[in-house]
Amino acid sequence: NEAVRDQSAAAMMDRSSLFIESMADDGHLASTSAQMQLHMRQMPVWGAVVNSIAFMAVPRSIPACFAATGWTIGIGSLFYSSIVTYDTGLLLGQVCNALPANSVCSFPALAAHASERFACHRNWSRSAQRRARKVGHVAIACLQYSCYYLTGVAELIYFEQYLGQYFSLSPLCQWQWLLLVGVISLPVVQVPSFHATRIAAVALGVLPLVLNVGVMLYEIALVRPWDCAPGPSYTAWPSLSRGFVGLTAFAYAFGGHGLYPDQIREMRQPARWPSVMAWTYAATVPLYWLCGLLGYYAYGDFSKANINLNFPDNPANKLSIAVQALQEFFFILDSDLVVMLAIELAVGLDPSTCCAPTWHPRTWRRGLPPWLGRLGLRSAFLASQVFCAQMLLSGEGDTLLSLQALTASVGMVAFTYFLPYVFALLLSPTPLGPWRKAWAGVNIAIGLAMAVGGFGSSLGELLEGSTGLFNGDCKLQWAYAPQSPGDPCNLSGIPSEGGI
């Protein structure tokens, strides 16, 4: 058995990670990376389920998506997304499990295989096929890593907002809270792999989700904002730019797909991925419909991505904010793991070990304990995200919604809506039928339009709302009473006519 495992590890050398396939020719490094990937295949089915639910499920952000799209487009988009993203999640499992036994499942690896298959179908030369493989791998890797880098930035901003809300009497400004968030998140991002996050996913993801949805229902029932005068207003048809922001924000809400291949890579039984999808969507999609429709009906166009800004300043809201602040540890970690693991695998830093064998960077003669190498690399990575978040604090309006839309347009639309169909067309072991091909073509076209339109619209909103780099407000602007004098009910967060 050991001989078989050694042969499998050697066969995986060429396909182990982005840098090994596209940027490095060091055989020893490739062998080391292949062995590391084998060590990581430990996650049970329930671990994949709780990780998927904990990262994907953001039902309380759906009202803000409706605020950008209005009722008609919002309901249509939520219905479409609920169906299409479930289909693409299943497709990702199928194409990963259809890969050769010596392949590693990841979005860059799938893109490499698909690009090579495309070149092969066009009868390109062998050297041209290798170039196509490398280009596809690098392009999708850049897309994925940029997407989840920005996701981590968004979660850092959420985190500092929650702390600013909870400790509203503190003299600390937003930028100072953000520095504190970076410091206290540093130990958490040292968790080595997705398999190791499964307990945190239950404690910091799934259980708080139930509590926070309960608080949302309680706050709406308590205030009944639709009975306020003048009450909530609703968008009939949004502007083109605002509509694209809303559509790509919906994509952000269904954006767990970017992590799916990485989770399949760590599963003990990757063939059971359909069960993971079924449990994930059975738990998540009903909450999206409940919170989305009820939240938008309650708060209308005033719905915030951080919906705690719409609730009264009462003990239930304080509890929800405190719980969500703890959740952010998990969200930051899960977002950053995709990129950090890719960097570590590329430089031969084994995520599954602590002290031995030592890590030897190429230019160093003496080795370092793996934990110390991870500490240095991950500290630098997190510091860069804190710096980026500091620049975005200067934005006016709902900066978080625009940042989420930008993140979705950069990568999540591709990973969630159309790249799985591209991979299925090129990598499916059995040819797709005509209706299946037509369905794939329609969704590829819709996804590309969403990505292009969402990128321009969300980037435009971020730039338009900016007051200059590192020039943000000291205190977070609350949207509910009694701290919002524009609230006619003194409770909810609905602005009065001609309000402040």
Side-chain angles (χ1 to χ4, degrees):
N1 289 336
E2 290 184 2
V4 171
R5 285 196 297 269
D6 290 342
Q7 291 174 0
S8 299
M12 289 172 64
M13 289 181 188
D14 295 334
R15 305 183 182 193
S16 56
S17 70
L18 163 67
F19 297 94
I20 284 163
E21 289 196 0
S22 61
M23 301 173 67
D25 297 319
D26 189 323
H28 173 71
L29 181 58
S31 177
T32 301
S33 179
Q35 293 172 4
M36 288 190 292
Q37 305 248 21
L38 290 176
H39 295 163
M40 294 168 66
R41 195 172 284 281
Q42 303 176 32
M43 186 161 56
V45 170
W46 72 265
V49 171
V50 295
N51 265 301
S52 298
I53 293 174
F55 184 78
M56 172 184 166
V58 286
R60 304 190 327 150
S61 71
I62 303 298
C65 300
F66 274 99
T69 61
W71 280 119
T72 304
I73 296 177
I75 291 175
S77 180
L78 184 55
F79 179 77
Y80 170 77
S81 298
S82 300
I83 294 174
V84 170
T85 62
Y86 182 73
D87 189 32
T88 55
L90 292 176
L91 282 176
L92 286 172
Q94 292 172 14
V95 294
C96 282
N97 288 318
L99 290 178
N102 62 344
S103 297
V104 174
C105 185
S106 68
F107 262 105
L110 290 173
H113 283 287
S115 300
E116 187 176 34
R117 184 71 59 85
F118 177 83
C120 181
H121 288 170
R122 296 297 184 276
N123 294 319
W124 292 2
S125 67
R126 186 56 192 160
S127 60
Q129 291 179 33
R130 287 195 294 269
R131 285 195 298 272
R133 177 186 180 85
K134 182 176 294 188
V135 169
H137 200 154
V138 172
I140 298 304
C142 291
L143 201 65
Q144 185 184 35
Y145 302 157
S146 299
C147 172
Y148 283 98
Y149 181 90
L150 290 175
T151 300
V153 171
E155 298 303 340
L156 286 169
I157 295 176
Y158 266 118
F159 200 172
E160 71 85 10
Q161 284 196 1
Y162 290 142
L163 292 181
Q165 284 177 264
Y166 194 83
F167 301 102
S168 57
L169 299 181
S170 168
L172 296 182
C173 292
Q174 283 195 84
W175 69 269
Q176 293 167 316
W177 281 120
L178 189 54
L179 291 178
L180 178 61
V181 161
V183 172
I184 62 179
S185 298
L186 183 57
V188 179
V189 298
Q190 304 305 313
V191 174
S193 66
F194 285 104
H195 169 66
T197 66
R198 64 196 187 282
I199 303 301
V202 175
L204 299 179
V206 177
L207 295 180
L209 173 67
V210 177
L211 183 144
N212 287 324
V213 170
V215 169
M216 178 180 179
L217 300 179
Y218 166 77
E219 298 288 12
I220 292 174
L222 175 69
V223 177
R224 299 174 61 86
W226 49 82
D227 289 337
C228 293
S233 60
Y234 308 104
T235 296
W237 293 98
S239 66
L240 183 63
S241 174
R242 190 64 177 164
F244 271 120
V245 169
L247 289 175
T248 45
F250 272 112
Y252 187 93
F254 286 88
H257 290 56
L259 303 179
Y260 287 172
D262 299 85
Q263 291 195 72
I264 294 170
R265 178 184 64 195
E266 295 191 23
M267 287 184 67
R268 293 175 190 164
Q269 301 171 290
R272 296 190 61 188
W273 180 251
S275 298
V276 176
M277 286 296 302
W279 281 106
T280 298
Y281 270 64
T284 303
V285 172
L287 291 179
Y288 278 22
W289 282 96
L290 172 65
C291 294
L293 297 178
L294 182 60
Y296 186 52
Y297 180 71
Y299 301 111
D301 295 337
F302 204 54
S303 302
K304 295 289 187 180
N306 176 3
I307 202 167
N308 288 84
L309 291 170
N310 291 113
F311 298 160
D313 188 10
N314 57 20
N317 194 17
K318 290 290 190 183
L319 174 62
S320 175
I321 292 170
V323 169
Q324 287 179 97
L326 290 175
Q327 279 186 283
E328 287 304 324
F329 285 121
F330 174 79
F331 294 144
I332 293 169
L333 170 63
D334 233 31
S335 303
D336 288 354
L337 266 179
V338 174
V339 190
M340 294 188 302
L341 285 174
I343 295 172
E344 289 165 4
L345 290 172
V347 299
L349 182 54
D350 193 341
S352 63
T353 60
C354 178
C355 299
T358 57
W359 173 49
H360 289 269
R362 287 187 175 186
T363 57
W364 293 16
R365 293 184 179 180
R366 298 184 62 183
L368 289 176
W371 71 267
L372 187 57
R374 279 198 299 273
L375 178 62
L377 288 175
R378 296 189 179 195
S379 298
F381 183 85
L382 184 63
S384 71
Q385 288 181 305
V386 171
F387 180 80
C388 185
Q390 290 283 14
M391 293 191 292
L392 291 171
L393 289 183
S394 62
E396 296 177 345
D398 200 350
T399 301
L400 274 172
L401 184 67
S402 298
L403 180 57
Q404 288 173 348
L406 179 64
T407 303
S409 64
V410 167
M412 287 184 179
V413 171
F415 304 140
T416 307
Y417 288 85
F418 68 86
L419 271 182
Y421 288 113
V422 175
F423 295 154
L425 287 170
L426 293 169
L427 299 176
S428 176
T430 57
L432 301 183
W435 287 107
R436 191 65 167 151
K437 287 182 179 179
W439 173 248
V442 168
N443 289 303
I444 291 171
I446 292 174
L448 287 171
M450 287 175 58
V452 174
F455 180 80
S457 300
S458 56
L459 185 61
E461 286 207 358
L462 282 174
L463 294 176
E464 184 179 351
S466 176
T467 58
L469 297 180
F470 307 106
N471 192 32
D473 293 333
C474 177
K475 294 293 184 179
L476 185 66
Q477 297 300 312
W478 296 70
Y480 56 74
Q483 291 148 336
S484 175
D487 185 343
C489 288
N490 255 353
L491 283 173
S492 64
I494 306 301
S496 61
E497 293 179 343
I500 297 175

